[in-house]
Amino acid sequence: CSSDLHSNLLATLSERFYGHLDTLDYVGASRFAQQANLKLDKYKAHFVGAGSNHNFDWRLLAAMSYQESHWNPNAKSFTGVRGMMMLTEDTADHLRVSNRLDPKQSIRAGSQYFSDLRDMLPDTVREPDRTWLAIAAYNLGMGHFNGARHIAQGLKKDPDSWYEMKAVLPLLAR
């Protein structure tokens, strides 16, 4: 029905442009601004170079790194991922990273990994969904992300749509 299509399009556009507003608060924005003033200039050239190499806006890579590690080159999670881009040991080895704590290597490899994930998505995935889905795969790993795509298909959701996958991803925890 045309009405359903129109309603879905409006919901998708609303999510794309306003979906983040409930998660960004004054404290978070203030902390980000403080961290940007203290740390970002030190690493900006690495983000710009890596973004240029893979056709990404450097600010996207910087935002991903902030989300992963708050631009802390020595970051470590309980799962063993390390560095500014929070690389697993296997991913770092695959991308020839000798030191995950070296910001330049971490940013270069994180950008390459993100590019590889984006390229692994089916050709049916169009922008901007392709970028959003690649970010999700970066965070989850491609195996878990493909599991979520399979769940989406079983629920009659579009696995190529970020709007629909965003609702499916929490189901992986079950």
Side-chain angles (χ1 to χ4, degrees):
C1 170
S2 170
S3 173
D4 289 341
L5 183 63
H6 181 69
S7 181
N8 192 27
L9 176 60
L10 284 176
T12 301
L13 289 172
S14 176
E15 167 62 27
R16 181 169 298 153
F17 294 108
Y18 302 108
H20 66 282
L21 293 180
D22 62 341
T23 59
L24 185 64
D25 62 10
Y26 175 77
V27 174
S30 193
R31 180 176 178 168
F32 174 79
Q34 180 185 35
Q35 292 295 311
N37 289 335
L38 292 173
K39 296 181 181 179
L40 186 56
D41 282 347
K42 185 175 182 179
Y43 306 114
K44 182 178 175 182
H46 301 313
F47 289 119
V48 170
S52 177
N53 287 342
H54 298 288
N55 223 11
F56 296 126
D57 186 321
W58 71 270
R59 292 167 290 207
L60 173 61
L61 296 174
M64 290 172 62
S65 179
Y66 180 79
Q67 180 63 34
E68 294 289 333
S69 70
H70 287 207
W71 299 317
N72 176 2
N74 298 314
K76 179 181 180 181
S77 83
F78 69 92
T79 62
V81 295
R82 306 273 326 250
M84 287 185 70
M85 298 300 286
M86 296 303 262
L87 302 172
T88 66
E89 213 171 319
D90 288 344
T91 299
D93 288 345
H94 173 72
L95 296 170
R96 297 185 178 107
V97 171
S98 61
N99 181 2
R100 291 183 288 167
L101 304 182
D102 174 22
K104 184 175 183 177
Q105 287 187 57
S106 183
I107 293 167
R108 176 198 54 80
S111 177
Q112 178 65 58
Y113 180 54
F114 180 53
S115 178
D116 292 347
L117 292 169
R118 187 178 63 171
D119 291 346
M120 283 184 219
L121 291 169
D123 292 340
T124 54
V125 181
R126 303 279 178 231
E127 288 295 350
D129 296 283
R130 187 173 202 80
T131 295
W132 288 109
L133 294 175
I135 292 170
Y138 187 98
N139 186 265
L140 293 170
M142 190 52 98
H144 289 293
F145 182 72
N146 283 334
R149 287 176 55 82
H150 183 72
I151 291 170
Q153 290 170 332
L155 295 172
K156 306 283 190 242
K157 303 282 186 186
D158 182 358
D160 294 349
S161 163
W162 168 244
Y163 175 71
E164 294 200 22
M165 286 299 293
K166 184 177 177 183
V168 171
L169 290 170
L171 300 177
L172 284 175
R174 295 184 189 167

